[in-house]
Every structure is written in structure tokens, then in C-alpha cells.
Amino acid sequence: QKEVEQDPGPLSVPEGAIVSLNCTYSNSAFQYFMWYRQYSRKGPELLMYTYSSGNKEDGRFTAQVDKSSKYISLFIRDSQPSDSATYLCATESNDYKLSFGAGTTVTVRA
Amino acid sequence: GAGVSQSPRYKVAKRGQDVALRCDPISGHVSLFWYQQALGQGPEFLTYFQNEAQLDKSGLPSDRFFAERPEGSVSTLKIQRTQQEDSAVYLCASSLYQDPSSYNEQFFGPGTRLTVL
């Protein structure tokens, strides 16, 4: 069993819709939870990270972590065609090793 | 400023050939990581350097994989006797330092796409 499981895609939504992405993880020792965005033929880039449980908001993006259920979520409000990409959730163990989900490919239709 | 760069961006190898993939981390970054990303999957950890010391190579799939960072900056991932299952994107990442008491962002390069025929 992988340490991080991510809801499979792909997701296709109309412009302006809310995008909801989810992951679960198995290791209760994880402290940092990240969301990366990866465009085609590019490396992942960090969108935001959360420490422990709680919510974090950055513009149109909101990340949520529920450590009691080992559940990670990312919400994108007012989605734009430029948000079309693969979104990867990740957790950090051993203070450096990132464990990634498989990624969800999102397409925002104009 | 310059980000993490990797070369070549694309590499085609015949099965059995040796390949060498290069990573130039962000200047001054102490920590360097290699990840392997198979098609349709998330990156998987391969190995970790702090300066020139390889502190973790637990993710290297076999003894055909070897990584080095002799002067604590540029790193090379070498794969000997390539197999078809080695086909993947190899990503390099660097971070300024690894402080267990705080978050240390890893910055990723664009990757090298390796295809083994």
C-alpha cells in the first residue's frame, strides 16, 4: 500500500467552477502536507503547504488537513483555464523525503 | 534567479546502454534530491545528498543506479545497463538546507525524460 493515495482523475470542469481534490495518507507521523502543481513536461512546483491539521488559504486556493482521518484536500475557487494541470499531494517524512500521490489531472474548460 | 536545471532534457537509450543524467541545483542549496516519475504516477524518492554526502539511497531501485555529488553542487545520476522499466522522468530537487524544526521547500527541475528502447 502506498503511503499517499490520491483520488484518480481526470477532472474536467467549466471555467468558474470549484475544483475539489483529495488524498489520504497512512503514516500518522507525517507533519507537513503539500500540494504541488505540475504542467506538462515541467517539474512540480509548490502551491502551498500546511503544518499539522487545519486550513490554509492563498488567494483562490484552500488546503485542508484532517489528521484524525488522515485526509488532505485542496479546493480551487473560480477556476481558470490556466489552472489546467496535474495536481500532486505530498507528505514529508524523515524531515526530507517527500511521498507523493499519483496526481489528478484537471482540465478547466473555457 | 536561476532555478534547478537538468540535462539532457530528453534521452533515448538502447537497452543495455549506460546513461548519465546531470542536475545543477540552485546556487547555495545544501540539499539535493533525485526522484523518479513513471508515466501517470507521482514522483518516487531515489536518493538524498547533504553537500557531498549521500545520506539516503534507500530509493534506488537496484545496484545499476548510482548517484554522486563530489563537490557538493552538481550531481549526476548514472544508470548502468539500462532496462525498459527504467523509462521514466528523472527529477532533481534542491533545498537551501534541511532543518528538522521548520519546513524546507524543495525546488524541482524540469526533469530528464529517459526512454529505453
Side-chain angles (χ1 to χ4, degrees):
Chain A
Q1 183 187 3
K2 288 176 67 77
E3 288 189 307
V4 182
E5 299 282 355
Q6 186 165 357
D7 281 354
L11 275 180
S12 179
V13 300
E15 184 174 357
I18 295 176
V19 176
S20 173
L21 302 168
N22 304 291
C23 294
T24 58
Y25 64 94
S26 58
N27 189 340
S28 57
F30 291 142
Q31 294 289 344
Y32 290 98
F33 306 90
M34 285 72 71
W35 283 97
Y36 284 82
R37 179 174 60 195
Q38 187 173 27
Y39 291 113
S40 181
R41 303 193 183 277
K42 303 284 187 184
E45 59 174 337
L46 182 69
L47 268 179
M48 53 200 306
Y49 76 92
T50 308
Y51 176 72
S52 195
S53 279
N55 293 358
K56 189 171 185 179
E57 189 172 318
D58 184 1
R60 297 183 294 109
F61 297 85
T62 300
Q64 290 183 349
V65 176
D66 182 345
K67 291 196 76 177
S68 63
S69 59
K70 299 192 181 69
Y71 203 78
I72 313 166
S73 301
L74 179 71
F75 300 95
I76 308 173
R77 292 184 300 281
D78 186 25
S79 56
Q80 304 295 309
S82 58
D83 295 328
S84 298
T86 296
Y87 291 81
L88 298 154
C89 59
T91 60
E92 187 174 285
S93 64
N94 297 330
D95 301 317
Y96 56 83
K97 190 183 301 186
L98 296 180
S99 297
F100 286 88
T104 303
T105 299
V106 174
T107 302
V108 181
R109 308 186 305 272
Chain B
V4 178
S5 61
Q6 294 186 245
S7 61
R9 291 293 316 277
Y10 302 90
K11 177 70 179 176
V12 178
K14 292 183 179 178
R15 190 172 55 179
Q17 281 185 329
D18 298 348
V19 297
L21 313 179
R22 177 188 169 105
C23 172
D24 282 85
I26 294 172
S27 178
H29 277 199
V30 168
S31 299
L32 185 144
F33 309 83
W34 285 98
Y35 292 84
Q36 179 190 58
Q37 187 173 22
L39 188 64
Q41 298 298 314
E44 296 273 350
F45 171 82
L46 292 178
T47 187
Y48 160 54
F49 290 86
Q50 190 171 88
N51 294 306
E52 68 279 2
Q54 189 174 21
L55 299 186
D56 188 341
K57 53 181 180 179
S58 62
L60 295 177
S62 75
D63 58 8
R64 296 186 295 105
F65 287 71
F66 172 76
E68 61 182 4
R69 193 186 185 199
E71 297 178 359
S73 55
V74 170
S75 177
T76 304
L77 177 66
K78 297 179 179 178
I79 309 173
Q80 297 177 322
R81 303 181 304 282
T82 52
Q83 304 294 312
Q84 285 188 322
E85 61 263 29
D86 300 334
S87 296
V89 174
Y90 291 85
L91 295 163
C92 177
S94 70
S95 68
L96 185 57
Y97 47 74
Q98 287 306 133
D99 176 2
S101 65
S102 65
Y103 179 68
N104 306 279
E105 181 178 353
Q106 294 185 25
F107 295 85
F108 283 82
T112 294
R113 183 176 297 270
L114 173 66
T115 303
V116 181
L117 303 176

